[in-house]
Amino acid sequence: MGTPVTHAPAMEGLSKDSEPRHGPVKPVRPAALKRRRRQENLAGYLFMSPWIAGFLLLTAGPMIASLYFAFTDYNLFDSPQWIGFDNFSEMFGDPRWRHSVQVTMWYVAVGTPLKLLAALGVALLLAQNRRGQAFYRAAFYAPSLIGASVSIAIVWRAIFSDDAIVDRTQQFFGIEVGGWTGDPELIIYSLVALTVWQFGAPMVIFLAGLKQVPRELYEAAEVDGAGKLRRFWNITLPMISPVLFFNVLLETIHSFQIFSSAYIVGGGAGGNACGPADGSMVYTCYLYVQGFENSRMGLASAMAWMLLVAVALVTAVLFWSQKHWVHYEEGA
């Protein structure tokens, strides 16, 4: 038998107090740490500076200026004259302003739910695996990309004008009402049809939410004998309620801000800028008429701030109501 060989550990020659080969680790001094943080913050602010400059010059600055103009008599050419709350008093007493509020509220209350229903219905169809699904998604989403353009509004006005395709289709079925754009009662329906046609953006969001619903829930409900309607009501809607809330909030805000389509379909300029007999006179359209056609920028600024307050209140109500119908996952 030979002498047994023992293998010394690799760190046998080092004592507890010995230093590593590269030398002792020096602690970072507080002054150096602060200097490093300042350098990192400076680099971050430099990268953010274009956005900060744009926000201050193009958003915050005009907002502060418009808040001042809201309390002045300003026509874009002469110096603004302080008049206090006269613009707001005139605005509340203006019957055309009250009519624009009614038209806008009707448009929001009708157009937004119909758009979301169309988006959810198509999303439910596209959530199923079928051939050509990518093509259908792109085709349904395309109107959201071009629907807000001026060219589409011009085409939409032509489609719904007298003796156009919509009017001729109505005549084929024996409906003699004429073109929608020339009728004060029907022109707002053409705007609703235009906004419903642009359901692509909320459809994509609904589709993403539907993909996150666990299939096990549907399988368990199907085993228990639940039909399609019951599975949709008890599983699909609660599971996508956060996505539904997001779409409701976003589309409601967008509906309050409608302008280009209402202005172009309504006429575009002159006495019929907001449609025949103010049939399509949404809030922003009347704001534009007062500010740029009547050169009453002070009154227009007051109207803009009232719109901001109204949208903020509606948003607050929606956030308050979500606790009654929006279901989040535990811990979210």
Side-chain angles (χ1 to χ4, degrees), residues 132-288:
Q133 191 176 48
F135 169 77
Y136 290 119
R137 291 179 182 178
F140 283 119
Y141 182 73
S144 294
L145 299 177
I146 61 176
S149 63
V150 174
S151 59
I152 293 299
I154 295 175
V155 173
W156 207 261
R157 176 177 172 82
I159 291 175
F160 285 88
S161 60
D162 293 335
D163 202 30
I165 181 173
V166 174
D167 189 14
R168 293 183 180 182
T169 304
Q170 294 173 155
Q171 294 176 8
F172 178 79
F173 290 100
I175 303 174
E176 300 290 341
V177 296
W180 293 17
T181 57
D183 192 329
E185 300 294 332
L186 295 178
I187 187 172
I188 190 64
Y189 291 98
S190 65
L191 297 180
V192 172
L194 179 57
T195 191
V196 173
W197 180 64
Q198 305 172 41
F199 64 82
M203 177 204 70
V204 172
I205 299 175
F206 276 133
L207 191 57
L210 291 172
K211 291 294 184 180
Q212 302 301 319
V213 180
R215 304 304 305 174
E216 295 81 3
L217 297 178
Y218 293 112
E219 295 172 358
E222 190 173 0
V223 170
D224 292 340
K228 292 183 178 180
L229 182 60
R230 191 174 184 85
R231 293 199 300 268
F232 171 77
W233 187 260
N234 292 332
I235 298 177
T236 305
L237 278 184
M239 292 299 294
I240 68 169
S241 57
V243 175
L244 178 61
F245 170 73
F246 176 80
N247 274 333
V248 169
L249 181 64
L250 206 62
E251 295 302 326
T252 301
I253 295 175
H254 287 171
S255 296
F256 275 106
Q257 297 174 340
I258 177 180
F259 170 71
S260 59
S261 58
Y263 185 73
I264 298 299
V265 174
N272 289 331
C274 297
D278 295 336
S280 62
M281 189 173 66
V282 293
Y283 194 93
T284 53
C285 188
Y286 190 47
L287 187 154
Y288 176 86

Side-chain angles (χ1 to χ4, degrees), residues 65 68-83 87 288-301:
Y68 168 73
F69 291 147
F71 298 94
T72 63
D73 182 11
Y74 181 44
N75 60 6
L76 291 176
F77 303 102
D78 300 325
S79 300
Q81 303 294 325
W82 184 267
I83 58 175
N87 285 328
Y288 176 86
V289 169
Q290 290 287 14
F292 293 96
E293 294 190 4
N294 299 338
S295 298
R296 303 197 61 185
M297 189 56 64
L299 179 60
S301 298

Side-chain angles (χ1 to χ4, degrees), residues 96-140:
R96 294 190 72 191
W97 179 84
R98 294 195 296 268
H99 176 69
S100 69
V101 173
Q102 294 174 358
V103 172
T104 304
M105 295 301 296
W106 188 93
Y107 174 82
V108 173
V110 175
T112 301
L114 289 178
K115 183 177 183 178
L116 294 177
L117 284 175
L120 180 57
V122 176
L124 288 171
L125 294 176
L126 295 181
Q128 305 173 10
N129 294 325
R130 60 185 63 197
R131 182 178 300 178
Q133 191 176 48
F135 169 77
Y136 290 119
R137 291 179 182 178
F140 283 119

